[in-house]
Amino acid sequence: MKLQAKFALYNAITKIAVILVLGAIILLSLETISSHHLDGRLTKKRLKVIENLSDNEIDSLLRNQHSFTDYNILKDEFIVLNAIPNVGKIDTSIFFTTERREIEGDTEIYRILNDQFEYNNKRYKLELGEAMTAMESIKTTIRFYMLIVLIGSLLVTLLTDYAFTNLILKPFYKIIDQKLNKVNDPTSYNYENIPTNTTDFKILDNSINSLMRKIANLFLLEKQFIANVSHELLTPISILSGRLENILSAENLPIEHENKILASLKTLNRLKVIINSLLLISKVENEQYLKKDQVSIQQELIDIYEDLEDRIIDKQIVYKNEIKEHFTLTGNQALIHTLLINIINNATKYNVTKGSITIHDELTPTKYILTIEDSGIGMEKENVANAFNRFERENNDKEDGFGLGLSIVNSIAKFHQLNIFIQSKKDKGTVVTVEFPII
């Protein structure tokens, strides 16, 4: 997961948690707030009722000791006034209850103020009620709009956080892209710093520059080492081979000495092949080759068949070149030739007598796919996984090899940004697929 995504995820989780907590507190507080609001309104109405007790109509009813009941037309408020016995000390405390009341056949939930008072030396019980239906509707509306506001706030903050982290991390991704991903040759590395105001990114940029300077120095040393190895190792091998061949041409050489010299020449030749293969891999991986040739895959396959024709005929292999596309790529012709000849040579070397080799291709809008299929001895699953490792090879006493052919193929494929895949089953054959991207 990208750092930017982690930042956004962390901000989202924390904001959601905060919003949920605040939302829960607000929702729980609505009940208390609404009750206090109703209680305050009922308390004010109580003062008005007591102040208006001198009105003629109410005063007349009180003098006649009748109870007074009043409901408004919407049945959302009522006033009940009852006379109570004038016994003991009057309870002047005001308290509130929430009850269901039936008014003219309709049952509603009311918040009720209960109070006792004296008027003209008589005691009365006053009940002021207000329906909670309207308040419940208000609370529902408040909850709905609060939910919308919270969700909207969350989305806005997430978008702004994402945009802000993208702005903050833009130099970081630019450093990674330009200073690491796009660097193929350390000697042509661009040491110019990426513009940023973030101190941490400046430190990262400078650290990468310092590291690349060290890598560039090591890269140059390795190139020099390769050149020295080419001279210091291959030259003595050639000298030894020449001397042994001169000795071998001498007359009256005992047969046992001749056999030993032939074995030594064979060993020197194997050593020379190994050194040349390792040098080739090293040069390819160090990108010491140019990629300026126009390479025709179809023509290369024709040339490779001419090179391997004797061996293919010797093993009575049925060779089918079913190439249909005239695909050409820009690269190093010698290396592409080496890549293809190694694959086809393996298909020949590890094939069975009277086996088959089939080569076919496919062209898509994004890539050219070349497939080389043989009916040979195949490989075990673990050998397929390690096929590109150096000195890894299928155990076969009948064929000589050093386990470097597919390593060379892999290095050349990476050098040309090709994808290569191997499918193989023991005693079922092998399929090698090479994908050439179309740029």
Side-chain angles (χ1 to χ4, degrees), residues 30-169:
L30 278 177
E31 191 70 31
T32 303
I33 293 171
S34 61
S35 296
H36 282 300
H37 177 69
L38 280 177
D39 294 349
R41 290 177 57 180
L42 290 172
T43 301
K44 290 180 180 180
K45 288 181 181 180
R46 169 186 168 276
L47 295 175
K48 289 183 179 181
V49 169
I50 293 176
E51 288 175 358
N52 293 327
L53 283 178
S54 60
D55 290 349
N56 293 331
E57 186 178 355
I58 297 177
D59 189 55
S60 175
L61 290 171
L62 291 174
R63 283 199 302 269
N64 293 328
Q65 297 183 351
H66 291 163
S67 66
F68 168 72
T69 305
D70 182 30
Y71 306 100
N72 70 347
I73 193 171
L74 297 177
K75 302 177 185 178
D76 57 359
E77 293 181 354
F78 70 83
I79 301 174
V80 177
L81 189 64
N82 291 318
I84 60 175
N86 192 358
V87 179
K89 187 177 180 181
I90 188 171
D91 184 5
T92 59
S93 61
I94 300 173
F95 64 93
F96 299 87
T97 58
T98 303
E99 301 177 11
R100 287 182 177 273
R101 291 288 179 93
E102 184 177 349
I103 300 175
E104 297 179 0
D106 294 331
T107 302
E108 298 286 347
I109 300 176
Y110 292 90
R111 184 71 173 174
I112 304 172
L113 179 148
N114 297 273
D115 183 31
Q116 295 181 10
F117 64 92
E118 288 187 357
Y119 182 76
N120 293 334
N121 296 321
K122 292 183 179 180
R123 296 182 182 178
Y124 298 93
K125 179 181 179 182
L126 175 66
E127 291 182 329
L128 297 176
E130 185 166 344
M132 299 186 68
T133 306
M135 188 58 65
E136 289 296 329
S137 177
I138 293 172
K139 287 193 291 185
T140 302
T141 304
I142 292 174
R143 290 190 185 101
F144 175 73
Y145 283 107
M146 185 189 70
L147 181 63
I148 292 177
V149 170
L150 291 178
I151 293 175
S153 302
L154 177 62
L155 292 176
V156 169
T157 54
L158 289 179
L159 290 175
T160 53
D161 284 346
Y162 184 83
F164 180 71
T165 54
N166 184 53
L167 179 64
I168 291 295
L169 294 175

Side-chain angles (χ1 to χ4, degrees), residues 283-387:
K283 288 181 179 180
V284 171
E285 291 178 349
N286 289 334
E287 301 189 0
Q288 293 179 239
Y289 290 90
L290 299 177
K291 293 184 286 187
K292 297 182 178 180
D293 303 326
Q294 293 300 312
V295 186
S296 169
I297 299 300
Q298 191 176 59
Q299 185 59 48
E300 291 300 321
L301 292 174
I302 293 173
D303 295 341
I304 289 170
Y305 178 75
E306 292 176 358
D307 294 339
L308 300 177
E309 183 178 10
D310 292 340
R311 188 163 191 175
I312 292 172
I313 294 174
D314 184 58
K315 295 190 74 169
Q316 302 179 42
I317 293 173
V318 178
Y319 184 89
K320 299 178 182 178
N321 186 346
E322 299 177 353
I323 296 296
K324 299 177 182 179
E325 305 292 340
H326 296 277
F327 179 73
T328 301
L329 78 150
T330 301
N332 186 286
Q333 183 174 5
L335 293 181
I336 295 296
H337 184 88
T338 301
L339 180 146
L340 295 175
I341 198 171
N342 274 333
I343 296 174
I344 298 174
N345 185 50
N346 281 347
T348 305
K349 182 191 297 185
Y350 298 106
N351 214 323
V352 295
T353 303
K354 296 184 179 181
S356 65
I357 297 175
T358 304
I359 304 175
H360 55 88
D361 63 350
E362 178 185 357
L363 184 63
T364 71
T366 58
K367 56 190 174 182
Y368 172 74
I369 304 171
L370 180 69
T371 304
I372 301 169
E373 183 176 356
D374 67 66
S375 60
I377 61 174
M379 291 185 285
E380 299 288 353
K381 186 176 181 180
E382 56 272 17
N383 290 334
V384 173
N386 299 321

Side-chain angles (χ1 to χ4, degrees), residues 277-278 280-287 335 339 388 390 404-418 420:
S277 298
L278 291 174
L280 175 61
I281 293 173
S282 182
K283 288 181 179 180
V284 171
E285 291 178 349
N286 289 334
E287 301 189 0
L335 293 181
L339 180 146
F388 294 122
R390 298 178 188 180
L404 292 173
L406 288 179
S407 295
I408 294 173
V409 167
N410 188 45
S411 297
I412 296 173
K414 288 181 178 179
F415 180 62
H416 287 85
Q417 286 84 48
L418 312 180
I420 184 165

Side-chain angles (χ1 to χ4, degrees), residues 415-429:
F415 180 62
H416 287 85
Q417 286 84 48
L418 312 180
N419 295 319
I420 184 165
F421 307 97
I422 297 178
Q423 294 177 310
S424 184
K425 289 185 179 180
K426 189 65 176 177
D427 299 324
K428 297 291 184 180

Side-chain angles (χ1 to χ4, degrees), residues 258-276:
E258 182 178 342
N259 292 335
K260 290 180 181 180
I261 292 173
L262 287 172
S264 298
L265 284 171
K266 186 176 180 181
T267 301
L268 285 173
N269 185 60
R270 286 169 59 89
L271 181 59
K272 186 176 181 179
V273 171
I274 292 174
I275 291 172
N276 284 327

Side-chain angles (χ1 to χ4, degrees), residues 148-244:
I148 292 177
V149 170
L150 291 178
I151 293 175
S153 302
L154 177 62
L155 292 176
V156 169
T157 54
L158 289 179
L159 290 175
T160 53
D161 284 346
Y162 184 83
F164 180 71
T165 54
N166 184 53
L167 179 64
I168 291 295
L169 294 175
K170 188 175 181 179
F172 171 77
Y173 292 121
K174 196 171 182 180
I175 291 171
I176 297 300
D177 185 52
Q178 295 187 9
K179 298 291 180 102
L180 294 178
N181 294 339
K182 292 184 178 179
V183 177
N184 294 321
D185 186 358
T187 58
S188 60
Y189 179 79
N190 183 8
Y191 292 96
E192 183 178 354
N193 290 107
I194 302 297
T196 177
N197 295 323
T198 306
T199 304
D200 294 337
F201 296 159
K202 290 181 180 179
I203 294 174
L204 175 63
D205 196 355
N206 292 329
S207 299
I208 293 176
N209 287 342
S210 177
L211 179 62
M212 290 305 296
R213 287 188 180 93
K214 296 178 182 178
I215 292 175
N217 291 333
L218 293 174
F219 184 75
L220 293 174
L221 289 174
E222 184 176 357
K223 283 186 176 181
Q224 185 178 1
F225 171 76
I226 292 170
N228 292 337
V229 166
S230 301
H231 180 267
E232 298 296 336
L233 289 182
L234 294 179
T235 300
I237 290 174
S238 299
I239 293 173
L240 286 174
S241 298
R243 290 178 178 177
L244 290 175

